[in-house]
Amino acid sequence: MTMIGSKYSLATALLALTASVSSFAPATFPRVRTTTPLHSTVEETDVNGSTSNKNVEQIKNTSRDKVMTFSYDMSIEPVYEKPTYPGTGNGLSGDSGEYDIIVIGSGMGGLACSALSAKYGSKVLCLESHIKVGGSAHTFSRMHNGGKYSFEVGPSIFEGLDRPSLNPLRMIFDILEETMPVKTYKGLGYWTPSGYWRFPIGSKEGFRQLLMEQCGEVDGPKAIAEWEALRERLRTLGGSTTAVALLNLRQDAGFLATTAGSLPFVLTHPDVFADLSLTFDDLSKTVEEFVTVPFLRNFIDTMCIFCGFPAKGAMTAHLLYILERFFEETAAFSVPIGGTCELGNTLQRGLEKFGGKLQLNAHVDEIIVENGRAVGVRLKNGNIVKARKAVVSNATPFDTVKMMPKQEDEPKGLTKWREEIGKLPRHGAISHLFLAIDAKGLDLSHIDDPAHLVVQDWDRSLQDSQNLCSFFIPSILDKTLCPEGKHVIHVYSSGGEPYEPWEKLTPGTEEYEAYKKERVECLWRAVERCIPDVRDRVEFSIIGSPLAHEAFLRRDRGTYGMAWAAGTSAPQAGLLGSVLPFPFPNLKTPVDGLLRCGDSCFPGIGTPSAAASGAIAANTMTHVDNHLKLLSEASKKDPMYKFLDAGIMGQVYKPLVQGFTPSPELRADQFVAGAGTAPVDYSAADPNVSQRIDL
């Protein structure tokens, strides 16, 4: 699925943190089946002795009210050997050395953490297994008849990147003083059983007109009234998005100072705390209370599916940004000029500007833990890189577990953490279809936007990969992606593909190719809704299976991400999980000096959310004084960011909390003066900063 800008309420913010590729075509090689039997958490044996698999069984009846998740036991070796693909690298690069902070993975979370940590003054190394930066947000190219065609492989829908906004990713760009050229568009196309319609972003009146057109004279006024009632119910939570940002957060006592600027809002809106449980709870409960018109309920479900779930399973917080931001006149979707890879390139420039380092094709085999502390990593080539302060994993929890082999004398907390994190439910895999087409004589005047959603049947689950998909034609706006007179199209399923049918197949065989064609037929039909003769126009096409998705995007079993439904607390959710239904694992771990970031922890799935998690990790590893200075600096860059500054109240709280920042498990040693009570200058301009013992 696609990913949109995200922003969370004040209630979420204040409490949540207390606690070069040529194609997707693989080389042909024999698959090897190991002798280890598969004992996954989803296999069961019935009374007759036959084995079934819940991951596969659940897709046989994908009714609308079902919430789909997939589960695997990461302590068991895979039954089938993983395929390798040309263009992904062999992972054998990377030098030994010593740094303050080592970040594993160059996705949006890892790059944001790396760049901001470097700006804070730490000596940072970001290690990426792939030969491309950006994680899921990267681009690959294919030459055809002398022309170059570039395709997106992951996120494609972005809001708030064209100007200073509440999008955390744009905020980070501005803090790093880096720019990324974009072109904008103002809507999202829908192809549904009732036909084509368009969601107009940036227009309250336009949305009201849409409701009238789609719901008719009887249900139209009712849908408008229900939408406004839902907005009114969530108005305080939504309004808090301009009181404190995700970038104000840190996971230690210092958050009391860095979020103190929100106190005026809290004092004038005390009801925000009464809605704490609502913020984290299942959104469908609130929707069912206010919304009855089918069209409006369908629309809300499609907006929520960007986080992996429809309204049932999604947090209420996921809708707040949409309610508040998408109807402002300045709201617009963005196409990065040059491809989605420019997201990673922009963050990389910020990282290197402040002295940080990125190494590609450098696969981490192991996170080295000594005496309960992460002290570095061992690379695939055998080199060891030491971390004076911390190791941060931007990998999924399932891939992080692989890097932490069990030790006989390890702490019980680590064993429990590994077992729980490794068995968390996840969303399924994704299938891709990449098309290069001849646009000669092609009339696209019936559409206004490059991004589209296609729903086959509203009575089926939107998580069903054969029911919901997206297609994206960035070349409508970005002419650099393909030769003149051509278009590139990325079509992809929702994250509901079970992995088991794929892992048994050998890439390159007739059986594998036939299954690929079978599973992506629905993607072809989706594009045909918009371009009926698309198959006749194809210059070339590439099918990306979940096996390719896994290999190219470095995500175990090709998962879209962690899938803990709202309404209950996820394992390892921290202190907050014991009092509120907090559906995210902690950024912290039982291992001193080891943090996580990315879309598998707070604030969740979505490119901006992943970037925000990296920023929170970076904030957590620095002294609160430095964090406050950064926020003050950012607040002056644009009037939009004025609310970032903690102001006088931040300075009032600072003496009370600075001795506890960063928290003890992230200190390689006590601070030089007063056990950390004295503010520490981690200016990146200090040439001796990496030699300080108080890092």
Side-chain angles (χ1 to χ4, degrees):
M1 278 303 303
T2 50
M3 306 177 193
I4 306 183
S6 59
K7 185 71 171 59
Y8 284 73
S9 70
L10 172 68
T12 312
L14 289 179
L15 293 185
L17 269 296
T18 57
S20 131
V21 180
S22 61
S23 75
F24 269 60
T28 303
F29 58 90
R31 297 298 296 280
V32 178
R33 182 182 177 105
T34 69
T35 57
T36 306
L38 176 64
H39 297 291
S40 78
T41 57
V42 295
E43 283 195 343
E44 294 182 344
T45 302
D46 61 24
V47 292
N48 297 318
S50 62
T51 301
S52 63
N53 188 292
K54 290 182 180 178
N55 284 351
V56 177
E57 290 295 324
Q58 68 179 321
I59 69 167
K60 295 180 179 179
N61 175 24
T62 59
S63 59
R64 177 66 178 268
D65 61 349
K66 288 188 62 176
V67 173
M68 298 169 60
T69 62
F70 298 79
S71 187
Y72 300 90
D73 186 345
M74 295 304 297
S75 67
I76 303 299
E77 290 294 324
V79 173
Y80 299 95
E81 180 182 322
K82 301 287 186 181
T84 57
Y85 290 77
T88 62
N90 57 18
L92 292 175
S93 297
D95 302 323
S96 58
E98 187 173 29
Y99 297 81
D100 300 325
I101 295 170
I102 297 172
V103 178
I104 305 170
S106 70
M108 293 300 101
L111 285 173
C113 178
S114 299
L116 290 177
S117 293
K119 183 174 174 65
Y120 279 133
S122 290
K123 184 179 179 182
V124 180
L125 173 65
C126 182
L127 296 165
E128 170 56 49
S129 177
H130 202 296
I131 61 173
K132 285 181 176 285
V133 70
S136 296
H138 77 254
T139 305
F140 78 94
S141 299
R142 165 73 71 87
M143 298 299 296
H144 178 74
N145 290 338
K148 182 179 180 181
Y149 297 77
S150 297
F151 299 93
E152 314 301 331
V153 301
S156 58
I157 302 179
F158 308 96
E159 193 284 325
L161 293 182
D162 58 313
R163 65 184 69 202
S165 72
L166 300 180
N167 185 325
L169 185 56
R170 173 62 198 231
M171 289 182 177
I172 293 170
F173 286 171
D174 290 335
I175 288 172
L176 297 172
E177 298 182 339
E178 291 292 338
T179 59
M180 184 187 72
V182 302
K183 288 194 175 181
T184 60
Y185 56 104
K186 300 283 285 187
L188 182 61
Y190 278 77
W191 302 84
T192 70
S194 61
Y196 170 79
W197 50 272
R198 179 177 183 260
F199 166 46
I201 188 174
S203 173
K204 295 178 182 178
E205 183 56 35
F207 187 64
R208 294 190 185 100
Q209 291 178 6
L210 172 65
L211 294 179
M212 289 298 298
E213 291 169 1
Q214 294 297 315
C215 301
E217 294 298 326
V218 176
D219 280 348
K222 183 179 180 182
I224 293 173
E226 290 180 348
W227 176 252
E228 293 302 328
L230 178 64
R231 292 192 68 186
E232 183 61 31
R233 173 65 186 92
L234 300 175
R235 186 174 301 280
T236 298
L237 287 175
S240 70
T241 58
T242 55
V244 66
L246 291 169
L247 271 62
N248 288 86
L249 299 183
R250 52 186 299 123
Q251 199 167 342
D252 57 29
F255 89 98
L256 293 171
T258 57
T259 62
S262 64
L263 287 177
F265 182 89
V266 173
L267 293 176
T268 55
H269 299 80
D271 54 323
V272 72
F273 287 106
D275 283 338
L276 274 178
S277 58
L278 173 63
T279 304
F280 302 109
D281 210 349
D282 189 316
L283 173 63
S284 65
K285 297 177 183 178
T286 305
V287 171
E288 289 172 0
E289 182 180 352
F290 291 94
V291 182
T292 62
V293 177
F295 176 85
L296 187 53
R297 297 189 71 159
N298 290 340
F299 171 76
I300 292 172
D301 273 345
T302 61
M303 287 291 100
C304 292
I305 203 67
F306 294 121
C307 75
F309 290 112
K312 184 178 181 180
M315 281 200 317
T316 302
H318 281 291
L319 192 61
L320 297 178
Y321 185 93
I322 295 170
L323 287 172
E324 289 301 310
R325 173 61 188 163
F326 276 30
F327 300 94
E328 296 294 327
E329 290 185 4
T330 57
F333 294 129
S334 298
V335 173
I337 300 302
T340 304
C341 59
E342 290 304 313
L343 299 175
N345 293 339
T346 303
L347 289 173
Q348 182 182 352
R349 290 195 300 271
L351 166 65
E352 294 173 345
K353 173 191 296 183
F354 295 104
K357 184 177 181 180
L358 172 71
Q359 290 188 338
L360 299 176
N361 195 33
H363 182 79
V364 174
D365 262 351
E366 181 182 351
I367 297 172
I368 301 173
V369 178
E370 296 177 357
N371 299 319
R373 182 179 185 85
V375 297
V377 299
R378 178 177 290 104
L379 302 179
K380 183 178 180 180
N381 62 16
N383 286 336
I384 292 177
V385 190
K386 288 288 189 176
R388 284 188 286 263
K389 183 173 183 178
V391 175
V392 183
S393 176
N394 180 217
T396 69
F398 321 111
D399 293 288
T400 301
V401 163
K402 297 177 186 177
M403 293 182 279
M404 302 188 70
K406 186 174 178 58
Q407 300 178 7
E408 291 184 3
D409 58 345
E410 70 181 19
K412 292 182 179 179
L414 172 56
T415 303
K416 183 174 185 292
W417 177 84
R418 183 193 295 108
E419 291 176 350
E420 290 185 339
I421 289 291
K423 295 179 183 178
L424 286 174
R426 63 181 78 180
H427 296 292
I430 296 175
S431 295
H432 303 258
L433 178 62
F434 304 97
L435 303 176
I437 69 169
D438 183 1
K440 183 179 180 180
L442 177 61
D443 182 8
L444 292 179
S445 61
H446 58 295
I447 62 173
D448 299 292
D449 316 289
H452 299 258
L453 296 182
V454 182
V455 180
Q456 306 290 351
D457 185 348
W458 287 117
D459 291 328
R460 289 164 59 190
S461 170
L462 295 184
Q463 295 177 283
D464 182 350
S465 63
Q466 296 291 297
N467 185 38
L468 176 71
C469 69
S470 304
F471 66 86
F472 185 50
I473 317 176
S475 50
I476 289 177
L477 294 180
D478 184 1
K479 305 303 182 182
T480 70
L481 299 177
C482 57
E484 184 178 356
K486 311 295 180 182
H487 275 310
V488 289
I489 308 175
H490 177 205
V491 203
Y492 47 108
S493 69
S494 63
E497 274 286 297
Y499 187 77
E500 288 84 352
W502 291 96
E503 67 177 344
K504 300 174 183 178
L505 301 176
T506 301
T509 63
E510 291 184 8
E511 183 182 14
Y512 174 73
E513 295 300 323
Y515 193 60
K516 282 202 304 182
K517 291 179 181 179
E518 174 189 334
R519 297 302 288 177
V520 303
E521 177 59 27
C522 64
L523 305 185
W524 279 105
R525 293 198 302 269
V527 182
E528 286 175 329
R529 299 284 296 275
C530 178
I531 308 175
D533 62 345
V534 65
R535 300 192 203 220
D536 296 329
R537 293 181 172 274
V538 169
E539 299 275 319
F540 66 89
S541 63
I542 303 169
I543 298 174
S545 75
L547 296 179
H549 183 92
E550 175 181 29
F552 279 79
L553 275 62
R554 297 301 194 264
R555 298 177 74 84
D556 183 77
R557 291 175 171 86
T559 180
Y560 181 59
M562 193 197 74
W564 193 270
T568 58
S569 294
Q572 305 293 331
L575 295 176
L576 188 61
S578 62
V579 294
L580 288 171
F582 189 62
F584 296 103
N586 220 330
L587 272 71
K588 290 190 174 182
T589 73
V591 180
D592 289 355
L594 177 63
L595 292 177
R596 293 197 311 115
C597 66
D599 64 5
S600 59
C601 46
F602 181 82
I605 289 176
T607 300
S609 293
S613 76
I616 296 167
N619 297 339
T620 302
M621 293 185 289
T622 195
H623 192 282
V624 68
D625 192 65
N626 306 309
H627 190 183
L628 288 169
K629 289 178 181 177
L630 182 75
L631 293 171
S632 177
E633 173 190 326
S635 71
K636 297 178 176 62
K637 293 187 179 297
D638 190 272
M640 169 67 73
Y641 298 152
K642 185 177 180 180
F643 74 103
L644 290 173
D645 192 355
I648 295 176
M649 292 308 300
Q651 297 303 314
V652 170
Y653 277 101
K654 185 177 74 171
L656 304 177
V657 299
Q658 63 185 8
F660 304 98
T661 66
S663 48
E665 76 277 7
L666 292 174
R667 300 182 190 173
D669 204 335
Q670 291 292 341
F671 287 89
V672 174
T677 56
V680 180
D681 181 13
Y682 289 144
S683 169
D686 180 359
N688 300 315
V689 66
S690 63
Q691 279 71 52
R692 298 180 65 100
I693 66 169
D694 57 351
L695 287 173

